[in-house]
Structure formats: structure tokens, C-alpha cells
Amino acid sequence: MAVETPGVVERELRIDARPEIVFGFLTVPELLLRWKGVEATLDPVPGGAYRVVVNARSTVRGEFVEVVPHSRVVFTWGFEDEHGLLPPGASTVEVTLTPDGDGTLLHLVHRDLPAAAREQHRAGWEHFLERLRRAAAGDDPGPDPWAAEAEEEVGNG
């Protein structure tokens, strides 16, 4: 039985790409945009900017805390437009990459999430990590349907 830690969303998946490839998809804006977001500003050094316009409704902002090439990325996370539920930098995302044969085992831990934001983030990470799995393995995950939905909602709102 899995034990859930309060305030934490945790996910693990295997990606058919070596850690150095997957690492780029977490730290290089052009690669990150293949699986998440429509605009990204990333400065992958401790204290560097982490800002991703996920879609027309959501912009994530934080800063890199730890960057170990090809094995670990830690950054803070929050939303510019969440009306205080999870402000920029309020939570922390830790991504660990472990070699697994010719692939990578990715382990993500998102900490310090308020109860009201946990389910949204659980669903979000499931959605985006599947897109990352495909993109890093060399497949095209296609346009993000969530980005299209948000654009439509904002346009109709």
C-alpha cells in the first residue's frame, strides 16, 4: 500500500532516453516547450529564474535551487496568477534522474502543496510527465490539449 505524505505529490516513470537527454528537457527552454508550456525562461543555476507560461491561464514562477547535470534538478514553484493559493516559489519540485539500462528512471517529488492544490498538481504532473516521456524518447507528443482549452476559455471569457 502506498503511503501518501501530506503536501506532497510524487511520481515515477521510465523514459526511453539517457539521463543527459532527459536533463535537457528540464533545463533548456526549447526542449521544455516540446512537452510543457508556450513560453519559458530558464536559467538553470542555483538562484536562476524558472518561469514557464504553461497556458493562457497559468504562469509558473520560481527559481532553481540545485542543478546537478544529468542527475538532479530542484526548483521552487508557484503561480503568478493563482490569487494567493500557491504564490511564486511557495512549493518545491525535485526531479532525480537515474540511469536504467539505455533509459532513465525519473522520480519527481513536489513538496509543500496546500491541500486545495494537491489534486490539480497530481493530475497536472501525470499529464505533463507523459508528454515528457514521449518527447524525450524522440516522439512528438503533439500540441498540448490543455493549452488549447485554456486559450479557448480565455477567448470566450
Side-chain angles (χ1 to χ4, degrees), residues 97-133:
L97 307 173
T98 305
D100 184 37
D102 60 355
T104 301
L105 188 61
L106 181 146
H107 186 180
L108 178 139
V109 180
H110 193 157
R111 300 182 191 288
D112 306 317
L113 289 167
R118 210 162 304 130
E119 188 52 43
Q120 172 190 9
H121 282 80
R122 181 176 290 110
W125 284 119
E126 286 176 9
H127 171 79
F128 285 115
L129 288 176
E130 174 57 24
R131 292 179 55 78
L132 169 60
R133 185 190 64 74

Short mmCIF file of all heavy atoms in Angstrom, two decimals, residues 97-133:
data_model
loop_
_atom_site.label_atom_id
_atom_site.label_comp_id
_atom_site.label_asym_id
_atom_site.label_seq_id
_atom_site.Cartn_x
_atom_site.Cartn_y
_atom_site.Cartn_z
N LEU A 97 17.10 11.95 -11.79
CA LEU A 97 17.25 11.11 -12.97
C LEU A 97 18.28 10.02 -12.67
O LEU A 97 19.41 10.32 -12.31
CB LEU A 97 17.71 11.94 -14.17
CG LEU A 97 16.88 13.18 -14.50
CD1 LEU A 97 17.55 13.99 -15.59
CD2 LEU A 97 15.47 12.79 -14.89
N THR A 98 17.86 8.76 -12.82
CA THR A 98 18.73 7.63 -12.54
C THR A 98 18.85 6.79 -13.80
O THR A 98 17.82 6.41 -14.38
CB THR A 98 18.15 6.78 -11.39
OG1 THR A 98 17.93 7.62 -10.26
CG2 THR A 98 19.08 5.63 -11.03
N PRO A 99 20.09 6.48 -14.23
CA PRO A 99 20.24 5.62 -15.40
C PRO A 99 19.54 4.28 -15.16
O PRO A 99 19.59 3.72 -14.06
CB PRO A 99 21.75 5.42 -15.52
CG PRO A 99 22.36 6.55 -14.76
CD PRO A 99 21.38 6.87 -13.67
N ASP A 100 18.88 3.77 -16.21
CA ASP A 100 18.17 2.50 -16.14
C ASP A 100 18.37 1.79 -17.48
O ASP A 100 17.59 2.01 -18.41
CB ASP A 100 16.69 2.73 -15.85
CG ASP A 100 15.91 1.44 -15.68
OD1 ASP A 100 16.46 0.49 -15.11
OD2 ASP A 100 14.74 1.39 -16.13
N GLY A 101 19.45 1.04 -17.60
CA GLY A 101 19.79 0.43 -18.87
C GLY A 101 20.08 1.53 -19.87
O GLY A 101 20.88 2.42 -19.62
N ASP A 102 19.39 1.50 -21.01
CA ASP A 102 19.57 2.56 -22.02
C ASP A 102 18.55 3.68 -21.84
O ASP A 102 18.40 4.54 -22.70
CB ASP A 102 19.50 1.98 -23.43
CG ASP A 102 18.17 1.31 -23.73
OD1 ASP A 102 17.33 1.19 -22.81
OD2 ASP A 102 17.97 0.89 -24.88
N GLY A 103 17.86 3.69 -20.69
CA GLY A 103 16.86 4.71 -20.42
C GLY A 103 17.13 5.42 -19.10
O GLY A 103 18.24 5.39 -18.56
N THR A 104 16.08 6.05 -18.59
CA THR A 104 16.17 6.85 -17.37
C THR A 104 14.96 6.59 -16.50
O THR A 104 13.83 6.58 -16.99
CB THR A 104 16.22 8.35 -17.71
OG1 THR A 104 17.35 8.60 -18.54
CG2 THR A 104 16.29 9.22 -16.47
N LEU A 105 15.19 6.44 -15.22
CA LEU A 105 14.11 6.42 -14.25
C LEU A 105 14.01 7.84 -13.69
O LEU A 105 14.97 8.36 -13.12
CB LEU A 105 14.41 5.42 -13.14
CG LEU A 105 13.28 5.17 -12.15
CD1 LEU A 105 12.05 4.60 -12.87
CD2 LEU A 105 13.73 4.23 -11.06
N LEU A 106 12.88 8.49 -13.93
CA LEU A 106 12.63 9.85 -13.44
C LEU A 106 11.76 9.75 -12.20
O LEU A 106 10.72 9.11 -12.21
CB LEU A 106 11.94 10.69 -14.51
CG LEU A 106 11.64 12.14 -14.12
CD1 LEU A 106 11.77 13.03 -15.35
CD2 LEU A 106 10.27 12.31 -13.51
N HIS A 107 12.21 10.39 -11.12
CA HIS A 107 11.46 10.43 -9.87
C HIS A 107 11.21 11.91 -9.55
O HIS A 107 12.15 12.68 -9.40
CB HIS A 107 12.27 9.77 -8.76
CG HIS A 107 11.53 9.66 -7.48
ND1 HIS A 107 12.07 9.09 -6.36
CD2 HIS A 107 10.28 10.02 -7.11
CE1 HIS A 107 11.20 9.12 -5.36
NE2 HIS A 107 10.11 9.69 -5.80
N LEU A 108 9.95 12.29 -9.48
CA LEU A 108 9.55 13.66 -9.20
C LEU A 108 8.86 13.72 -7.85
O LEU A 108 7.98 12.89 -7.57
CB LEU A 108 8.60 14.18 -10.29
CG LEU A 108 8.08 15.60 -10.08
CD1 LEU A 108 8.06 16.35 -11.40
CD2 LEU A 108 6.68 15.60 -9.47
N VAL A 109 9.26 14.67 -7.02
CA VAL A 109 8.61 14.93 -5.74
C VAL A 109 8.28 16.41 -5.70
O VAL A 109 9.18 17.26 -5.82
CB VAL A 109 9.51 14.55 -4.54
CG1 VAL A 109 8.80 14.84 -3.23
CG2 VAL A 109 9.95 13.10 -4.62
N HIS A 110 7.00 16.74 -5.58
CA HIS A 110 6.55 18.13 -5.48
C HIS A 110 6.07 18.33 -4.05
O HIS A 110 5.07 17.75 -3.63
CB HIS A 110 5.44 18.39 -6.49
CG HIS A 110 5.14 19.84 -6.67
ND1 HIS A 110 4.55 20.33 -7.81
CD2 HIS A 110 5.35 20.93 -5.88
CE1 HIS A 110 4.40 21.64 -7.69
NE2 HIS A 110 4.88 22.02 -6.52
N ARG A 111 6.80 19.15 -3.28
CA ARG A 111 6.55 19.34 -1.84
C ARG A 111 5.86 20.67 -1.54
O ARG A 111 5.89 21.58 -2.35
CB ARG A 111 7.87 19.32 -1.07
CG ARG A 111 8.66 18.06 -1.20
CD ARG A 111 9.94 18.13 -0.36
NE ARG A 111 10.84 17.05 -0.66
CZ ARG A 111 10.64 15.78 -0.32
NH1 ARG A 111 9.57 15.45 0.35
NH2 ARG A 111 11.52 14.86 -0.64
N ASP A 112 5.30 20.74 -0.35
CA ASP A 112 4.72 21.97 0.21
C ASP A 112 3.47 22.44 -0.53
O ASP A 112 3.21 23.64 -0.62
CB ASP A 112 5.77 23.11 0.24
CG ASP A 112 7.03 22.70 0.98
OD1 ASP A 112 6.91 22.06 2.04
OD2 ASP A 112 8.13 23.00 0.48
N LEU A 113 2.70 21.49 -1.04
CA LEU A 113 1.46 21.83 -1.74
C LEU A 113 0.31 21.92 -0.74
O LEU A 113 0.10 20.99 0.05
CB LEU A 113 1.13 20.77 -2.79
CG LEU A 113 2.03 20.75 -4.02
CD1 LEU A 113 1.81 19.47 -4.82
CD2 LEU A 113 1.76 21.98 -4.87
N PRO A 114 -0.45 23.01 -0.77
CA PRO A 114 -1.63 23.06 0.09
C PRO A 114 -2.65 22.01 -0.37
O PRO A 114 -2.68 21.63 -1.55
CB PRO A 114 -2.17 24.48 -0.12
CG PRO A 114 -1.51 25.00 -1.34
CD PRO A 114 -0.28 24.21 -1.57
N ALA A 115 -3.47 21.55 0.55
CA ALA A 115 -4.45 20.50 0.24
C ALA A 115 -5.31 20.87 -0.96
O ALA A 115 -5.59 20.02 -1.82
CB ALA A 115 -5.33 20.22 1.46
N ALA A 116 -5.68 22.13 -1.07
CA ALA A 116 -6.56 22.56 -2.17
C ALA A 116 -5.88 22.49 -3.54
O ALA A 116 -6.55 22.48 -4.56
CB ALA A 116 -7.04 23.99 -1.92
N ALA A 117 -4.56 22.41 -3.56
CA ALA A 117 -3.83 22.38 -4.84
C ALA A 117 -3.30 20.99 -5.19
O ALA A 117 -2.82 20.77 -6.29
CB ALA A 117 -2.66 23.36 -4.78
N ARG A 118 -3.39 20.06 -4.26
CA ARG A 118 -2.74 18.75 -4.45
C ARG A 118 -3.31 17.96 -5.62
O ARG A 118 -2.56 17.45 -6.46
CB ARG A 118 -2.83 17.95 -3.16
CG ARG A 118 -1.66 17.03 -3.00
CD ARG A 118 -1.47 16.54 -1.57
NE ARG A 118 -1.34 17.65 -0.65
CZ ARG A 118 -2.04 17.79 0.47
NH1 ARG A 118 -2.89 16.88 0.84
NH2 ARG A 118 -1.87 18.84 1.24
N GLU A 119 -4.61 17.84 -5.71
CA GLU A 119 -5.21 17.03 -6.79
C GLU A 119 -4.93 17.64 -8.16
O GLU A 119 -4.64 16.94 -9.12
CB GLU A 119 -6.71 16.84 -6.58
CG GLU A 119 -7.33 15.86 -7.55
CD GLU A 119 -6.62 14.51 -7.61
OE1 GLU A 119 -6.24 13.96 -6.56
OE2 GLU A 119 -6.42 13.99 -8.74
N GLN A 120 -5.01 18.95 -8.25
CA GLN A 120 -4.71 19.65 -9.51
C GLN A 120 -3.27 19.36 -9.94
O GLN A 120 -2.99 19.10 -11.11
CB GLN A 120 -4.92 21.15 -9.32
CG GLN A 120 -4.46 21.99 -10.49
CD GLN A 120 -4.46 23.48 -10.16
OE1 GLN A 120 -4.65 23.90 -9.03
NE2 GLN A 120 -4.21 24.29 -11.17
N HIS A 121 -2.34 19.38 -9.00
CA HIS A 121 -0.94 19.12 -9.33
C HIS A 121 -0.70 17.64 -9.64
O HIS A 121 0.10 17.32 -10.51
CB HIS A 121 -0.02 19.63 -8.22
CG HIS A 121 0.16 21.10 -8.30
ND1 HIS A 121 -0.77 21.99 -7.81
CD2 HIS A 121 1.14 21.85 -8.85
CE1 HIS A 121 -0.36 23.22 -8.05
NE2 HIS A 121 0.80 23.17 -8.68
N ARG A 122 -1.39 16.77 -8.95
CA ARG A 122 -1.26 15.33 -9.24
C ARG A 122 -1.68 15.08 -10.70
O ARG A 122 -0.96 14.45 -11.47
CB ARG A 122 -2.13 14.51 -8.29
CG ARG A 122 -2.02 13.00 -8.51
CD ARG A 122 -2.83 12.22 -7.49
NE ARG A 122 -2.21 12.33 -6.18
CZ ARG A 122 -2.70 13.01 -5.13
NH1 ARG A 122 -3.87 13.63 -5.23
NH2 ARG A 122 -2.06 13.06 -4.00
N ALA A 123 -2.82 15.61 -11.09
CA ALA A 123 -3.30 15.44 -12.47
C ALA A 123 -2.37 16.14 -13.46
O ALA A 123 -2.08 15.61 -14.53
CB ALA A 123 -4.72 15.98 -12.60
N GLY A 124 -1.90 17.32 -13.09
CA GLY A 124 -1.00 18.07 -13.97
C GLY A 124 0.30 17.33 -14.23
O GLY A 124 0.74 17.21 -15.37
N TRP A 125 0.91 16.80 -13.16
CA TRP A 125 2.16 16.08 -13.37
C TRP A 125 1.94 14.80 -14.17
O TRP A 125 2.77 14.44 -15.01
CB TRP A 125 2.86 15.80 -12.04
CG TRP A 125 3.55 17.03 -11.50
CD1 TRP A 125 3.30 17.65 -10.31
CD2 TRP A 125 4.58 17.80 -12.13
NE1 TRP A 125 4.10 18.76 -10.18
CE2 TRP A 125 4.90 18.87 -11.27
CE3 TRP A 125 5.26 17.68 -13.35
CZ2 TRP A 125 5.88 19.82 -11.59
CZ3 TRP A 125 6.24 18.63 -13.67
CH2 TRP A 125 6.53 19.67 -12.80
N GLU A 126 0.85 14.11 -13.94
CA GLU A 126 0.56 12.91 -14.76
C GLU A 126 0.47 13.30 -16.23
O GLU A 126 1.04 12.64 -17.10
CB GLU A 126 -0.71 12.23 -14.29
CG GLU A 126 -0.53 11.50 -12.98
CD GLU A 126 -1.82 10.89 -12.43
OE1 GLU A 126 -2.85 10.89 -13.14
OE2 GLU A 126 -1.78 10.44 -11.28
N HIS A 127 -0.25 14.36 -16.51
CA HIS A 127 -0.43 14.84 -17.89
C HIS A 127 0.93 15.22 -18.51
O HIS A 127 1.29 14.75 -19.59
CB HIS A 127 -1.38 16.04 -17.88
CG HIS A 127 -1.49 16.76 -19.18
ND1 HIS A 127 -2.26 16.31 -20.23
CD2 HIS A 127 -0.91 17.92 -19.61
CE1 HIS A 127 -2.16 17.14 -21.24
NE2 HIS A 127 -1.36 18.13 -20.90
N PHE A 128 1.66 16.08 -17.81
CA PHE A 128 2.89 16.61 -18.40
C PHE A 128 4.03 15.60 -18.40
O PHE A 128 4.84 15.59 -19.33
CB PHE A 128 3.29 17.91 -17.72
CG PHE A 128 2.42 19.06 -18.15
CD1 PHE A 128 1.60 19.69 -17.24
CD2 PHE A 128 2.41 19.49 -19.47
CE1 PHE A 128 0.78 20.75 -17.63
CE2 PHE A 128 1.59 20.55 -19.88
CZ PHE A 128 0.78 21.17 -18.95
N LEU A 129 4.13 14.73 -17.40
CA LEU A 129 5.21 13.75 -17.42
C LEU A 129 5.03 12.74 -18.54
O LEU A 129 6.02 12.26 -19.12
CB LEU A 129 5.33 13.05 -16.06
CG LEU A 129 5.90 13.92 -14.94
CD1 LEU A 129 5.89 13.16 -13.63
CD2 LEU A 129 7.30 14.43 -15.27
N GLU A 130 3.80 12.41 -18.88
CA GLU A 130 3.58 11.53 -20.04
C GLU A 130 4.05 12.23 -21.31
O GLU A 130 4.66 11.61 -22.19
CB GLU A 130 2.12 11.12 -20.14
CG GLU A 130 1.78 10.32 -21.39
CD GLU A 130 2.59 9.04 -21.57
OE1 GLU A 130 3.11 8.49 -20.58
OE2 GLU A 130 2.72 8.58 -22.73
N ARG A 131 3.80 13.52 -21.42
CA ARG A 131 4.26 14.27 -22.58
C ARG A 131 5.80 14.34 -22.59
O ARG A 131 6.42 14.20 -23.65
CB ARG A 131 3.65 15.68 -22.59
CG ARG A 131 2.14 15.66 -22.84
CD ARG A 131 1.52 17.05 -22.82
NE ARG A 131 2.16 17.96 -23.74
CZ ARG A 131 1.95 17.98 -25.07
NH1 ARG A 131 1.11 17.13 -25.63
NH2 ARG A 131 2.58 18.86 -25.84
N LEU A 132 6.42 14.51 -21.43
CA LEU A 132 7.88 14.49 -21.33
C LEU A 132 8.42 13.13 -21.75
O LEU A 132 9.41 13.06 -22.49
CB LEU A 132 8.32 14.83 -19.90
CG LEU A 132 9.81 14.60 -19.59
CD1 LEU A 132 10.70 15.43 -20.50
CD2 LEU A 132 10.08 14.88 -18.12
N ARG A 133 7.81 12.06 -21.28
CA ARG A 133 8.26 10.71 -21.62
C ARG A 133 8.33 10.55 -23.13
O ARG A 133 9.32 10.07 -23.68
CB ARG A 133 7.34 9.65 -21.01
CG ARG A 133 7.82 8.21 -21.24
CD ARG A 133 6.78 7.20 -20.83
NE ARG A 133 5.57 7.28 -21.64
CZ ARG A 133 5.48 6.85 -22.90
NH1 ARG A 133 6.52 6.32 -23.51
NH2 ARG A 133 4.34 6.96 -23.57
#
